[in-house]
Structure formats: structure tokens, C-alpha cells
Amino acid sequence: MKIITADDYDDLSRRTAALVCAQLVRKPASLFVFPTGATPLGLFRELVAAARELRADFSNASFAVLDEYAGIAPGDRRGLAGWLGRELLDPLGIPASRVITFDPRGEASAESARVEAAIAARGGIDLAVLGLGPNGHLGFNEPGTSFDARSGLVPLSAASITSNAAYWGSEADVPRTGFTLGLGTLLEARQFVLIVSGARKADILGRVLADPATPDLPATIAHVHPNALVLADRQAMSRAPKD
Ligand code: PGA
């Protein structure tokens, strides 16, 4: 596992965008996974600017949506596929045919098989960029998830319901289950990058870096992934173990 400390959020966003652009140059038809949440917004801004200025060509790239609330109506504005569309894929001009999404109303085992097959049909994930949940989750892979879990339907933790309440109005409105790419699926990505920003992530990032790989902290799969990078800004790194 490699660790890089960025000066601040903008530097983190620029460095992550540079990794994505380098991957595109190496393999224009790459399959990418990007996180939901606040952390990647700077990255998305950089990528949209790079595409507009013709520094990045996404015309052959594909994307797999990391996670999705279950049971919501297609087109619900709170859906995560719709969110990724508004924030990144629509500005990049990516057609739906190059985006692998979960059907929020799909049957669990059929959705799992369909999404796994769609990823395999594109040759696997080339670069997965993940955000770090306040409880160490990755996507909706909550603490306790096995490292070999495949993609599918999972219960959301109380912590995730609380942290997502702001997007839904109240905790009571947050769906109790969601679809997520599995930890086993993410472990097979050729490159794994965990991006972390801000003082509010310092404690959890400190634990993720210090603890051995454990299902209690899904983000510790970074310790076992053969090509993992943790890219965090100085504030997020303030509780990292000093070695
Ligand atoms: P955040 O979310 O980027 O909004 O902090 C990260 C997560 O919960 O996965």
C-alpha cells in the first residue's frame, strides 16, 4: 500500500485527476469506478475541465456506479446513479450504454449477477477511486462485510443512515438497504485509490492505516490490495501513524 499526502483538498483533487488521466492514456477503454459523497466533487470538477480542454478523452471509457439505494423509483433525484450523472457523466457526455448501474427495484440476486457480468464483459475494473466513510465503509460495504463479498443488496448501517439523512430530509426517509459493488469485486480492480480529505476523517483514516486488514473496517482492504494507493490531504493525515 502506497500513501501520498496532498497539501490540501485542491491538491488532492488534482492529483487524483492526474491518475485518472494517466489511466485513460494507458488504456482509453478503461472501466472506472468513482465514489459518491462530497470528497470526489473536486476530482469531478478537474475531470470535466480536463475533458473540455481536450486534456482527457473519455470517449471510449466506461463507468460502474459504486452504490445505489434500493427500492427508489428510476429517476429519483436522490438516486446515486442520477447524482453521478449530474455531477460527472452528463458533463462528460457519457451515454448510458457505457455506464453500469444497479436497478434500484431489481431482484437482489439477479442484479448481483447482472452487474458482475457487465463488469467482467468489459474486462474488469481498471481503476477504482473510493471515498472513506466515517465508519470505515467503502460504498455500502459496512463494517463486518467479508472481503470476498460480491456485488449485491446489503443493509445500510445506522451510521450510514445518519450520515445520509441530510440528502433525504430525515433519517426516517433514508432507504434501509442498498446495492453496492462488493469488497471482493473492488479487490479485483487493477488499481485501487482511496481518497480522503479533511480533519473530520483524521481519526478513521488513522485507524485504517494503523490497523491490520479487518472486516471491521472495510477500507482496510487497501492493506491487501496488490496495487493500492491512499491519497489524503494533510488534515486527513493528521492522525496517521508515524513510522
Ligand atoms: P464523503 O462520503 O465523501 O461525503 O465524506 C464518504 C462516504 O461516506 O463514503
Side-chain angles (χ1 to χ4, degrees):
M1 180 178 69
K2 199 169 152 192
I3 303 171
I4 293 179
T5 305
D7 291 336
D8 53 23
Y9 180 68
D10 287 344
D11 187 37
L12 171 79
S13 301
R14 276 193 299 270
R15 285 172 182 260
T16 314
L19 291 174
V20 172
C21 292
Q23 174 62 34
L24 271 178
V25 169
R26 267 197 307 277
K27 182 179 173 190
S30 290
L31 174 58
F32 292 99
V33 171
F34 291 128
T36 42
T39 309
L41 293 175
L43 162 67
F44 294 170
R45 205 173 45 232
E46 292 290 332
L47 293 179
V48 171
R52 288 218 173 106
E53 293 158 16
L54 305 180
R55 289 182 283 117
D57 178 4
F58 285 94
S59 57
N60 292 297
S62 303
F63 303 82
V65 173
L66 175 61
D67 46 12
E68 184 57 277
Y69 297 107
I72 60 172
D76 186 316
R77 281 191 62 80
R78 295 163 298 192
L80 297 175
W83 176 87
L84 190 67
R86 288 191 298 280
E87 297 294 339
L88 181 69
L89 302 179
D90 298 347
L92 290 180
I94 308 294
S97 58
R98 283 197 278 117
V99 187
I100 300 169
T101 55
F102 291 100
D103 173 356
R105 293 188 164 170
E107 190 275 318
S109 60
E111 273 310 283
S112 170
R114 188 183 60 77
V115 165
E116 291 281 343
I119 289 171
R122 290 185 183 271
I125 299 165
D126 291 291
L127 172 56
V129 181
L130 283 312
L132 175 62
N135 62 351
H137 74 193
L138 288 183
F140 284 144
N141 293 289
E142 303 289 1
T145 305
S146 156
F147 282 4
D148 55 16
R150 305 310 301 183
S151 306
L153 186 69
V154 294
L156 269 59
S157 69
S160 289
I161 291 169
T162 304
S163 68
N164 287 320
Y167 297 105
W168 288 84
S170 79
E171 283 189 21
D173 295 321
V174 182
R176 267 34 190 174
T177 54
F179 288 98
T180 187
L181 298 186
L183 292 180
T185 315
L186 294 170
L187 266 174
E188 289 168 7
R190 290 184 187 84
Q191 208 182 340
F192 175 101
V193 180
L194 184 68
I195 56 171
V196 195
S197 172
R200 78 187 175 93
K201 295 286 176 70
D203 281 334
I204 189 68
L205 180 59
R207 286 180 57 204
V208 166
L209 295 178
D211 288 7
T214 166
D216 293 342
L217 281 179
T220 58
I221 68 166
H223 292 279
V224 292
H225 190 285
N227 186 14
L229 168 66
V230 176
L231 190 40
D233 62 21
R234 266 186 222 296
Q235 286 197 320
M237 284 294 282
S238 60
R239 302 258 164 97
K242 316 259 180 278
D243 49 17

